[in-house]
Amino acid sequence: MAREFSRTERVSQQLHKEVASILQNEYKHRVGDTPLITVSGVDVSRDLSHAKIYVTCYTQSDEATQTQVKQLNEFKGFIRSFLAKRMRMRAVPAIQFFSDVSITEGMRISNLVSQTLAEDEKKKSKP
């Protein structure tokens, strides 16, 4: 019987869970007041040596989001050391953080669709 998930998928899920926990509990205590940061996805290479971690920062501006991602990349050694303590792996993947803009893009597209529908309704109501 074949396995339901591949090893890379299982490691990806575990990394997602652990990094989210570290950001919530350990990272904020060390860095101080930070905006809400959510781990939205993790991609692990097939050889389990590298992991791309996509985060969503709920801030008001894109500059603040880029600053948060830069700060996360500066603290990636600190985060990786916590991962090494929590995960039962011989070698913990090297991590790198990226900004995930899919949520903000989805909201922007949804707003554009709503505006277009509202304009169409206005045009229909005018004879």
Short mmCIF file of all heavy atoms in Angstrom, two decimals, residues 27 31 37 53 55 57 62-77 79 95-100:
data_model
loop_
_atom_site.label_atom_id
_atom_site.label_comp_id
_atom_site.label_asym_id
_atom_site.label_seq_id
_atom_site.Cartn_x
_atom_site.Cartn_y
_atom_site.Cartn_z
N TYR A 27 9.40 34.44 18.90
CA TYR A 27 9.90 35.55 18.09
C TYR A 27 9.38 36.89 18.61
O TYR A 27 10.14 37.84 18.74
CB TYR A 27 9.49 35.34 16.62
CG TYR A 27 9.89 36.45 15.69
CD1 TYR A 27 11.22 36.62 15.33
CD2 TYR A 27 8.94 37.31 15.15
CE1 TYR A 27 11.59 37.64 14.46
CE2 TYR A 27 9.31 38.32 14.28
CZ TYR A 27 10.62 38.47 13.94
OH TYR A 27 10.99 39.47 13.09
N VAL A 31 11.71 40.14 19.74
CA VAL A 31 11.77 41.31 18.88
C VAL A 31 10.97 42.47 19.45
O VAL A 31 11.33 43.62 19.30
CB VAL A 31 11.27 40.95 17.46
CG1 VAL A 31 11.20 42.16 16.58
CG2 VAL A 31 12.18 39.91 16.87
N ILE A 37 1.69 38.25 12.16
CA ILE A 37 2.38 37.54 11.09
C ILE A 37 1.81 36.13 11.03
O ILE A 37 1.75 35.43 12.04
CB ILE A 37 3.90 37.47 11.34
CG1 ILE A 37 4.49 38.86 11.43
CG2 ILE A 37 4.59 36.67 10.25
CD1 ILE A 37 5.94 38.88 11.86
N ILE A 53 9.52 29.74 3.19
CA ILE A 53 8.38 29.96 4.08
C ILE A 53 7.71 31.26 3.66
O ILE A 53 8.34 32.32 3.65
CB ILE A 53 8.84 30.04 5.55
CG1 ILE A 53 9.54 28.73 5.92
CG2 ILE A 53 7.66 30.32 6.47
CD1 ILE A 53 10.19 28.73 7.27
N VAL A 55 5.00 34.12 4.30
CA VAL A 55 4.30 34.73 5.42
C VAL A 55 3.44 35.89 4.93
O VAL A 55 3.75 36.54 3.94
CB VAL A 55 5.28 35.24 6.51
CG1 VAL A 55 6.01 34.09 7.16
CG2 VAL A 55 6.27 36.23 5.95
N CYS A 57 1.92 39.40 6.41
CA CYS A 57 2.01 40.38 7.49
C CYS A 57 0.82 41.33 7.34
O CYS A 57 0.63 41.92 6.29
CB CYS A 57 3.31 41.17 7.41
SG CYS A 57 4.78 40.17 7.55
N ASP A 62 3.02 48.35 2.19
CA ASP A 62 3.91 47.35 1.63
C ASP A 62 5.33 47.48 2.17
O ASP A 62 6.05 46.49 2.30
CB ASP A 62 3.94 47.45 0.10
CG ASP A 62 2.63 46.99 -0.52
OD1 ASP A 62 1.92 46.19 0.12
OD2 ASP A 62 2.32 47.43 -1.65
N GLU A 63 5.73 48.72 2.50
CA GLU A 63 7.07 48.93 3.04
C GLU A 63 7.21 48.24 4.40
O GLU A 63 8.25 47.64 4.70
CB GLU A 63 7.39 50.42 3.19
CG GLU A 63 7.45 51.18 1.89
CD GLU A 63 6.11 51.78 1.50
OE1 GLU A 63 5.26 52.00 2.38
OE2 GLU A 63 5.92 52.02 0.30
N ALA A 64 6.16 48.33 5.22
CA ALA A 64 6.20 47.68 6.53
C ALA A 64 6.25 46.17 6.38
O ALA A 64 6.95 45.48 7.13
CB ALA A 64 4.98 48.09 7.36
N THR A 65 5.54 45.64 5.40
CA THR A 65 5.57 44.20 5.14
C THR A 65 6.97 43.77 4.71
O THR A 65 7.50 42.76 5.20
CB THR A 65 4.55 43.83 4.06
OG1 THR A 65 3.25 44.20 4.51
CG2 THR A 65 4.58 42.34 3.76
N GLN A 66 7.58 44.52 3.80
CA GLN A 66 8.93 44.18 3.35
C GLN A 66 9.94 44.28 4.49
O GLN A 66 10.87 43.48 4.58
CB GLN A 66 9.35 45.09 2.19
CG GLN A 66 8.55 44.87 0.93
CD GLN A 66 8.59 43.44 0.45
OE1 GLN A 66 9.62 42.77 0.53
NE2 GLN A 66 7.47 42.94 -0.03
N THR A 67 9.75 45.25 5.39
CA THR A 67 10.62 45.38 6.55
C THR A 67 10.48 44.16 7.46
O THR A 67 11.49 43.64 7.96
CB THR A 67 10.27 46.67 7.33
OG1 THR A 67 10.40 47.78 6.46
CG2 THR A 67 11.18 46.84 8.53
N GLN A 68 9.25 43.69 7.66
CA GLN A 68 9.03 42.51 8.49
C GLN A 68 9.67 41.27 7.89
O GLN A 68 10.28 40.47 8.60
CB GLN A 68 7.53 42.27 8.71
CG GLN A 68 6.90 43.23 9.68
CD GLN A 68 7.50 43.10 11.06
OE1 GLN A 68 7.76 42.02 11.54
NE2 GLN A 68 7.74 44.23 11.69
N VAL A 69 9.54 41.09 6.58
CA VAL A 69 10.14 39.93 5.92
C VAL A 69 11.66 40.01 6.00
O VAL A 69 12.34 39.01 6.25
CB VAL A 69 9.66 39.84 4.45
CG1 VAL A 69 10.43 38.77 3.69
CG2 VAL A 69 8.17 39.54 4.41
N LYS A 70 12.22 41.21 5.84
CA LYS A 70 13.66 41.39 5.97
C LYS A 70 14.12 41.04 7.39
O LYS A 70 15.13 40.38 7.59
CB LYS A 70 14.04 42.83 5.62
CG LYS A 70 15.51 43.10 5.64
CD LYS A 70 15.81 44.53 5.25
CE LYS A 70 17.30 44.80 5.35
NZ LYS A 70 17.62 46.21 5.08
N GLN A 71 13.34 41.49 8.38
CA GLN A 71 13.68 41.20 9.77
C GLN A 71 13.59 39.69 10.06
O GLN A 71 14.43 39.14 10.77
CB GLN A 71 12.75 41.97 10.70
CG GLN A 71 13.14 41.90 12.15
CD GLN A 71 12.23 42.76 13.01
OE1 GLN A 71 11.07 42.95 12.69
NE2 GLN A 71 12.77 43.27 14.10
N LEU A 72 12.59 39.03 9.50
CA LEU A 72 12.48 37.58 9.67
C LEU A 72 13.69 36.88 9.06
O LEU A 72 14.21 35.91 9.65
CB LEU A 72 11.19 37.06 9.02
CG LEU A 72 9.91 37.28 9.79
CD1 LEU A 72 8.71 36.94 8.92
CD2 LEU A 72 9.89 36.45 11.06
N ASN A 73 14.14 37.34 7.90
CA ASN A 73 15.31 36.73 7.28
C ASN A 73 16.58 36.98 8.09
O ASN A 73 17.49 36.16 8.08
CB ASN A 73 15.47 37.21 5.83
CG ASN A 73 14.57 36.45 4.90
OD1 ASN A 73 14.46 35.23 4.98
ND2 ASN A 73 13.91 37.17 4.02
N GLU A 74 16.63 38.11 8.80
CA GLU A 74 17.79 38.36 9.67
C GLU A 74 17.77 37.44 10.88
O GLU A 74 18.82 37.08 11.40
CB GLU A 74 17.78 39.82 10.12
CG GLU A 74 18.13 40.80 9.01
CD GLU A 74 17.95 42.24 9.42
OE1 GLU A 74 17.56 42.51 10.58
OE2 GLU A 74 18.18 43.11 8.57
N PHE A 75 16.57 37.06 11.34
CA PHE A 75 16.44 36.20 12.51
C PHE A 75 16.25 34.73 12.14
O PHE A 75 15.86 33.93 12.99
CB PHE A 75 15.24 36.66 13.37
CG PHE A 75 15.54 37.81 14.25
CD1 PHE A 75 15.36 39.11 13.81
CD2 PHE A 75 16.03 37.62 15.53
CE1 PHE A 75 15.64 40.19 14.61
CE2 PHE A 75 16.31 38.69 16.36
CZ PHE A 75 16.11 39.99 15.89
N LYS A 76 16.53 34.35 10.89
CA LYS A 76 16.27 32.97 10.48
C LYS A 76 17.17 31.97 11.20
O LYS A 76 16.77 30.83 11.42
CB LYS A 76 16.37 32.82 8.97
CG LYS A 76 17.72 33.04 8.36
CD LYS A 76 17.62 32.96 6.86
CE LYS A 76 18.94 33.32 6.22
NZ LYS A 76 18.82 33.36 4.77
N GLY A 77 18.36 32.36 11.61
CA GLY A 77 19.21 31.46 12.38
C GLY A 77 18.61 31.16 13.74
O GLY A 77 18.64 30.02 14.22
N ILE A 79 15.41 31.32 14.48
CA ILE A 79 14.21 30.50 14.26
C ILE A 79 14.61 29.07 13.93
O ILE A 79 14.00 28.11 14.40
CB ILE A 79 13.33 31.13 13.17
CG1 ILE A 79 12.81 32.49 13.65
CG2 ILE A 79 12.19 30.22 12.78
CD1 ILE A 79 12.16 33.35 12.60
N ILE A 95 16.21 27.81 5.99
CA ILE A 95 14.94 28.48 5.74
C ILE A 95 15.16 29.87 5.18
O ILE A 95 16.19 30.50 5.43
CB ILE A 95 14.07 28.55 7.01
CG1 ILE A 95 14.78 29.31 8.14
CG2 ILE A 95 13.68 27.16 7.47
CD1 ILE A 95 13.94 29.52 9.37
N GLN A 96 14.19 30.31 4.39
CA GLN A 96 14.18 31.66 3.86
C GLN A 96 12.73 32.12 3.81
O GLN A 96 11.84 31.35 3.42
CB GLN A 96 14.81 31.73 2.48
CG GLN A 96 14.97 33.15 2.00
CD GLN A 96 15.91 33.24 0.82
OE1 GLN A 96 16.40 32.25 0.31
NE2 GLN A 96 16.16 34.46 0.39
N PHE A 97 12.50 33.36 4.22
CA PHE A 97 11.14 33.90 4.29
C PHE A 97 10.84 34.75 3.07
O PHE A 97 11.69 35.48 2.58
CB PHE A 97 10.98 34.74 5.56
CG PHE A 97 11.00 33.93 6.81
CD1 PHE A 97 12.17 33.73 7.51
CD2 PHE A 97 9.84 33.34 7.29
CE1 PHE A 97 12.20 32.97 8.66
CE2 PHE A 97 9.86 32.58 8.44
CZ PHE A 97 11.04 32.40 9.12
N PHE A 98 9.59 34.63 2.61
CA PHE A 98 9.10 35.41 1.48
C PHE A 98 7.73 35.97 1.83
O PHE A 98 6.97 35.35 2.57
CB PHE A 98 8.97 34.54 0.22
CG PHE A 98 10.27 34.02 -0.29
CD1 PHE A 98 10.74 32.77 0.09
CD2 PHE A 98 11.05 34.79 -1.14
CE1 PHE A 98 11.94 32.29 -0.38
CE2 PHE A 98 12.26 34.32 -1.62
CZ PHE A 98 12.71 33.07 -1.23
N SER A 99 7.43 37.12 1.27
CA SER A 99 6.13 37.74 1.49
C SER A 99 5.10 37.08 0.58
O SER A 99 5.34 36.89 -0.61
CB SER A 99 6.22 39.24 1.18
OG SER A 99 4.96 39.84 1.31
N ASP A 100 3.96 36.73 1.14
CA ASP A 100 2.86 36.13 0.38
C ASP A 100 1.81 37.21 0.17
O ASP A 100 1.19 37.68 1.12
CB ASP A 100 2.28 34.94 1.13
CG ASP A 100 1.20 34.24 0.33
OD1 ASP A 100 1.14 34.44 -0.90
OD2 ASP A 100 0.42 33.49 0.93
#
